[in-house]
Amino acid sequence: MEKDLVEYIVKSLVDDPSAVTVAVVEGEKSTILELRVAQDDIGKVIGKQGRIAKSIRTVLQAATAKKGKHTVLEILD
């Protein structure tokens, strides 16, 4: 569910939605979502002073709060 949520949000923001990939790494206490986008779209996902990335992380944490899981979003180059 978290993966689908992040993919949906990010694909709406970028120019090249086919380059968006989200890998899920399950840990004992947390889940890490590794987001990769096209090099030209990194700025659109991060935003000015990281505001868009912070907003995506906030929505992600709100979506996973009921499950009691901790989810981390990493934006990779």
Side-chain angles (χ1 to χ4, degrees):
M1 178 196 140
E2 300 89 15
K3 177 182 175 183
D4 298 333
L5 176 64
V6 171
E7 276 185 4
Y8 177 76
I9 293 170
V10 173
K11 284 183 178 182
S12 301
L13 294 172
V14 298
D15 289 333
D16 186 8
S18 63
V20 174
T21 59
V22 179
V24 179
V25 179
E26 291 285 341
E28 289 181 26
K29 296 184 180 181
S30 65
T31 302
I32 300 172
L33 299 176
E34 296 178 343
L35 173 65
R36 292 185 191 272
V37 297
Q39 191 66 34
D40 296 338
D41 291 329
I42 291 258
K44 292 179 181 173
V45 173
I46 295 174
K48 290 184 181 177
Q49 298 177 354
R51 288 185 180 149
I52 294 175
K54 184 177 178 183
S55 298
I56 294 170
R57 288 182 176 115
T58 302
V59 169
L60 183 61
Q61 294 214 327
T64 59
K66 284 187 177 180
K67 296 180 183 177
K69 294 175 72 177
H70 180 70
T71 306
V72 178
L73 176 64
E74 291 184 357
I75 301 170
L76 306 175
D77 300 354

